[in-house]
Structures are given as structure tokens and as C-alpha cells.
Amino acid sequence: MFSFLPERSNLAGVRHILLVLSGKGGVGKSTISSQLALSLRHAGKKVGILDVDLCGPSIPRMFRVQDNDVHQCDSGWVPVFVGQEQSISLMSIGFLLERPDDAVVWRGPKKNALIKQFVTDVAWGDLDFLIVDTPPGTSDEHISTVEALRPYKPLGAVLVTTPQDVSVGDVRRELTFCKKTGLQVLGIVENMSGFVCPHCSECTNIFSKGGGEELAKHSGVPFLGCVPLDPQLSQSLEEGKDFIQEFPKSPAFPALSHIAQQILDGTRQQSS
């Protein structure tokens, strides 16, 4: 099923590749990846998401396309498109499993082979951004992903943390990983930075606050912003709705838009 096809330049039409990383699970990498994709789409960009979290693929469900199948074309696998406009395209192992409850019980070499095939054999077409949603840690999958993408000169990585010290400590290791692999850090996002009350919209810092910003300052990398824990965002992810379009008055909306804008500004500076 996962035999290699001759290498093609299926990423030749992708202008910018960025990875979403964190040394810790449960910090919301897939949430940030999906909302960043939606924010960039609303800015008029064509976006793809490559979900390389092989053991816990959640991107298909977040866009409510988990029942779609992947098809073949002359150039390889055709990604799954979201909505009638088809301005967001997705690839995930979630589309390749026979049943949604199937567990991926694979050793490293088989995982690494699929990641390499995802990079070379998905016919993305023309994209402004390809967002790579990664699993937790700094292990085989991450090394394989960075090495497979290196010839295509990725833009860099967005690191996601929550405010707690235990999360910030794991993300500090991710910074070391980026340094060792030569991957530029575009910035740090502090997710779940306060809880937005669904009744009065007051934001309470139940997980403390400022850990991500302090880490960015200490490490000398940009701080992209804080995203509060918002029930409306959770609802959108559960129902596969476009949060950016559905809840423009949510406190999380300007935070996500600001992060996307900084990514856009960074690409403009790089190309000028």
C-alpha cells in the first residue's frame, strides 16, 4: 500500500511550508494548525494541511471530512478538499484507515516511510501555504519530516505551548530540536491562555499566564500571541465549523487573526 513512486516535485507549487511543533501533547497543535489555515484562507490564501500525527490524526475530524476517501491521480495521491471553494486541502493517515477506531501500531521505519511518501506523493497543486501538523515530541517522525522537507526549504516552525511550567519546559526542548535541525523558529504561541466564560466573556487565567511569552523573550524568538480557551472554538472544532467565520466576536478571533497576520508579514519581508 505504501510502496514508493518515483520522486516528483509535487511541492513545486507550494510557496511556503511551515511546521507546527510542540514537545508536549495536548497543547492544541492541531487546533492552532486548523485555525491558522482558516485565518490564512480568509486572507485570500490557498492552504493545505499535512497531518503527520500518525497515531492521533485529528485534522480530518476538525474539518468534518473524516469519511472522505483519498484517490489516486497521475501525480500521486489527491488531497481531500474542504468546502465548495476547495481553498483548503488536507492529507492525513485518517483518510487511509479502514475504520476510524483502527490503531496505527507501527514501528519507526514504517512511520518514516509513510511520512516521506506524504511529502513526495501528494499532488498539492498550487498553494500559498502548506501547514504541517506534527505529533508531540522530538523523535523519529519529526526528524523524518524535517529531512524530507529540507530540499523544499521550509519557512520555519510555529511552536505551541500552554502557560504551565511543565508545558513550557517541553517546548524549550523543541527549541533545541529546531536549532539542531537548522529549522527557523517563526515564533511561539501560548494556547489555552485563560478561559473565556461563555456567559459574561470574562477571561480567567486558570492555567496561569505568560509562560510562553517569557520563554520567547528568554530564547530570543518572536512571541506570536496568546489564544484563550474558548468554548465557541471547542464547539467549532467538534462540529467541523469555520470558527473564524462563525464567531468573529469571540476573544479568540483577534488572537488567531493576529498570529496569521504576523506569518503573512514575515513572508512579505522574506520575499522583499
Side-chain angles (χ1 to χ4, degrees):
M1 181 178 177
F2 302 127
S3 59
F4 283 103
L5 299 173
E7 187 169 348
R8 294 174 297 273
S9 56
N10 274 337
L11 290 175
V14 178
R15 295 181 61 197
H16 305 293
I17 301 171
L18 61 92
L19 293 85
V20 177
L21 301 171
S22 177
K24 187 170 179 60
V27 299
K29 289 183 300 300
S30 296
T31 297
I32 296 300
S33 296
S34 62
Q35 300 310 306
L36 183 56
L38 287 167
S39 298
L40 291 169
R41 185 188 73 174
H42 283 289
K45 306 300 179 183
K46 289 194 70 175
V47 187
I49 303 180
L50 173 56
D51 181 4
V52 295
D53 190 348
L54 304 184
C55 296
S58 51
I59 289 294
R61 181 177 175 81
M62 287 180 171
F63 286 91
R64 214 170 190 178
V65 290
Q66 65 268 32
D67 296 328
N68 288 41
D69 295 321
V70 168
H71 302 285
Q72 290 271 357
C73 69
D74 291 342
S75 302
W77 283 331
V78 180
V80 171
F81 295 98
V82 177
Q84 294 181 342
E85 297 176 1
Q86 298 192 344
S87 53
I88 295 182
S89 49
L90 313 174
M91 178 53 69
S92 170
I93 194 174
F95 298 127
L96 305 177
L97 301 175
E98 290 185 10
R99 293 178 298 274
D101 294 335
D102 284 351
V104 179
V105 188
W106 291 355
R107 293 188 184 275
K110 195 169 182 181
K111 288 182 181 179
N112 298 342
L114 179 58
I115 288 170
K116 290 174 183 174
Q117 191 166 6
F118 272 164
V119 170
T120 58
D121 291 346
V122 178
W124 293 106
D126 293 330
L127 294 178
D128 294 299
F129 289 91
L130 176 63
I131 299 169
V132 184
D133 183 30
T134 67
T138 55
S139 56
D140 279 3
E141 291 103 314
H142 303 81
I143 297 169
S144 294
T145 302
V146 172
E147 288 182 347
L149 290 172
R150 196 182 303 282
Y152 307 99
K153 299 179 180 178
L155 184 65
V158 172
L159 273 55
V160 182
T161 186
T162 52
Q164 305 100 309
D165 287 344
V166 65
S167 176
V168 171
D170 286 340
V171 176
R172 190 177 285 112
R173 298 184 190 96
E174 200 74 44
L175 282 164
T176 306
F177 170 83
C178 291
K179 187 175 181 180
K180 287 187 174 181
T181 56
L183 189 62
Q184 180 187 356
V185 176
L186 301 176
I188 294 175
V189 173
E190 183 175 294
N191 194 28
M192 307 181 195
S193 185
F195 171 74
V196 178
C197 175
H199 304 293
C200 67
S201 297
E202 183 179 344
C203 191
T204 305
N205 297 322
I206 56 174
F207 294 136
S208 76
K209 187 176 177 67
E213 187 170 7
E214 187 64 29
L215 175 60
K217 189 183 300 181
H218 179 75
S219 306
V221 300
F223 180 66
L224 299 177
C226 299
V227 180
L229 191 62
D230 187 341
Q232 292 177 326
L233 177 54
S234 302
Q235 177 189 341
S236 297
L237 294 168
E238 286 292 326
E239 298 175 359
K241 292 182 178 178
D242 184 340
F243 170 78
I244 304 296
Q245 187 173 34
E246 296 271 339
F247 300 105
K249 294 183 180 179
S250 160
F253 176 87
L256 292 164
S257 299
H258 180 61
I259 292 166
Q261 189 58 53
Q262 288 181 89
I263 299 293
L264 288 169
D265 292 344
T267 60
R268 292 191 190 104
Q269 289 175 8
Q270 194 178 69
S271 58
S272 61

